[in-house]
Amino acid sequence: DRVLVRVTGTDRRGRPEGSIVEVTERANTEVVGRVFDEYGVRYVVPEDRRLHTRIVLAGEPVSAGGSRRPRKTAGATPEIQPGQVVVAEILEQPGKRTLPVGRIKEVLGNYADPGMEIEIALRKHDLPFEFPQAVIDEAALLPEEVVVERDLGKREDLRDIPLVTIDGETAKDFDDAVFAEALPKGKGWRLVVAIADVSHYVRPGSALDTEATARGNSVYFPRRVIPMLPEKLSNGICSLNPDVERMAMVCDMEVGTSGKIGKYRFYPAVFRSQARLTYNQVWSWLSGASAPESEAQHAVQPHLKSLYKLFQALHTARGERGAIDFETTETQMVFNDQGKIENIVPVVRNDAHRIIEECMLAANVCASDFLAEHKQTCLYRIHAAPGEEKLKNLR
């Protein structure tokens, strides 16, 4: 809560002391919790451990859009069972000697229901999991799956270049595609990194832009994604799915045999991903453990081999300039049909993961250089030198 405080004095250590005069703004107007029944009085115990006060339920239900104020009686809506998870709207905030009074706005279900922990987390952390109507209306006006010819404008046409996406098996949205080929006379490689051009569809000041700004990012749960943009964009027209035309912002660069990035340029383009590949699939081909099956997979093999050689050069260059590789083990949760965790397994990283990392780092280095060269104001993340104590502990 936001409060007005009157300073009344200082304590023994000289710190100011005071008392609350007035609560000017309430932090909690809705609370997610479980319903309990005690001696005929129903109340909600908040899931948020920071809230220590139970909420007494008012006796007469009011529809979500209704304005009728319920009577403060001990009863509650009979269809709600004790132990169920609900969202309670606070009708009367707590006083010095009184408990808060609320009504049930939404019944989420039973505590043991599959996915209930996600439903609770969404509301507990106030995550926006529903899009406003204005955003839905704007998204409805966008193309479904096909790039409209009039949108191409002066974009460079890369539809003949065999760009591919490489992601995890469970990925649903693909936002980067890569391509590499050897330059003549052994001068290194040409690396093309294509990033989905979301800005073509999300215009500044639009409802989509305003909502994306408010959300800031997508939120990934083990079995569900709360996207920053509606799925029509994130899984549709802005996802670099195979065999369909897509808008992209491209970083087209030359990388020498020593791993040093040479000339580069950025440009908007239209392209067509030739294949949706996975890390394990690519690594099994590169390591010789298996062979490609389809014609499309065979066609991209020379470019995957070029990508691997390019990665090795970039990786060697990183080592020579003293970059540290932090190899940590990520974990993945395996769920059963009831949505409960069956197992937690390590995610084994291979060189296909590292290929994509190095390609993205190379594109970022070019972007940083481009911004610095044009004196464009932007945020940089600076890794300051570690202090003596940290170095001592490391040694």
Side-chain angles (χ1 to χ4, degrees), residues 117-374:
E117 65 283 352
I118 295 175
E119 294 296 335
I120 292 171
L122 289 174
R123 291 158 179 84
K124 196 159 100 177
H125 299 289
D126 200 21
L127 293 173
F129 56 92
E130 291 176 335
F131 285 102
Q133 192 58 46
V135 173
I136 295 167
D137 292 344
E138 269 190 12
L141 300 174
L142 297 173
E144 287 292 338
E145 277 290 329
V146 184
V147 169
V148 181
E149 199 67 33
R150 69 171 181 271
D151 285 349
L152 297 182
K154 295 179 180 177
R155 287 176 179 267
E156 294 201 20
D157 192 340
L158 300 186
R159 284 176 279 202
D160 293 333
I161 292 182
L163 283 138
V164 296
T165 60
I166 307 175
D167 293 274
E169 276 83 358
T170 58
K172 289 194 173 83
D173 53 330
F174 315 108
D175 50 17
D176 49 71
V178 292
F179 162 79
E181 64 179 350
L183 293 171
K185 300 178 184 176
K187 289 184 177 179
W189 301 269
R190 177 195 181 193
L191 172 61
V192 177
V193 175
I195 307 290
D197 189 358
V198 183
S199 65
H200 179 81
Y201 300 103
V202 182
R203 308 307 299 171
S206 64
L208 282 163
D209 181 44
T210 304
E211 182 67 12
T213 303
R215 292 185 178 217
N217 51 263
S218 297
V219 180
Y220 291 87
F221 289 99
R223 297 172 63 238
R224 183 174 168 188
V225 179
I226 309 302
M228 185 175 70
L229 294 164
E231 284 195 23
K232 185 173 181 181
L233 282 91
S234 59
N235 286 2
I237 197 75
C238 293
S239 181
L240 308 182
N241 303 326
D243 303 319
V244 287
E245 292 175 357
R246 288 289 181 261
M247 307 286 199
M249 180 57 73
V250 170
C251 181
D252 198 331
M253 61 201 113
E254 291 180 10
V255 182
T257 51
S258 64
K260 189 170 179 3
I261 299 170
K263 291 190 294 185
Y264 65 83
R265 66 190 185 99
F266 289 94
Y267 54 85
V270 58
F271 83 103
R272 183 189 290 265
S273 170
Q274 301 296 312
R276 180 271 197 263
L277 307 176
T278 68
Y279 296 120
N280 293 336
Q281 198 177 30
V282 169
W283 180 235
S284 69
W285 296 337
L286 292 172
S287 63
S290 69
E293 296 170 6
S294 69
E295 195 177 316
Q297 291 172 354
H298 271 288
V300 298
Q301 288 310 295
H303 309 295
L304 290 178
K305 287 174 182 172
S306 291
L307 269 172
Y308 192 42
K309 288 176 183 171
L310 167 63
F311 150 73
Q312 289 169 321
L314 287 168
H315 195 66
T316 302
R318 272 166 59 78
E320 285 174 358
R321 67 174 185 266
I324 301 172
D325 255 341
F326 293 100
E327 279 303 322
T328 55
T329 303
E330 290 186 25
T331 54
Q332 180 182 349
M333 295 179 185
V334 180
F335 293 85
N336 61 21
D337 294 338
Q338 287 73 48
K340 299 300 174 187
I341 297 171
E342 198 169 70
N343 201 2
I344 299 176
V345 298
V347 176
V348 180
R349 281 167 49 83
N350 54 50
D351 278 359
H353 290 85
R354 298 182 186 97
I355 286 171
I356 296 301
E357 283 174 5
E358 289 294 342
C359 289
M360 295 307 130
L361 283 168
N364 277 338
V365 167
C366 295
S368 180
D369 186 72
F370 182 87
L371 291 165
E373 185 187 332
H374 289 81

Side-chain angles (χ1 to χ4, degrees), residues 372-393:
E373 185 187 332
H374 289 81
K375 295 183 171 54
Q376 174 65 46
T377 303
C378 67
L379 289 169
Y380 288 91
R381 183 174 176 185
I382 308 297
H383 293 274
E388 277 303 316
E389 189 67 27
K390 286 188 177 179
L391 285 172
K392 186 180 169 185
N393 291 339

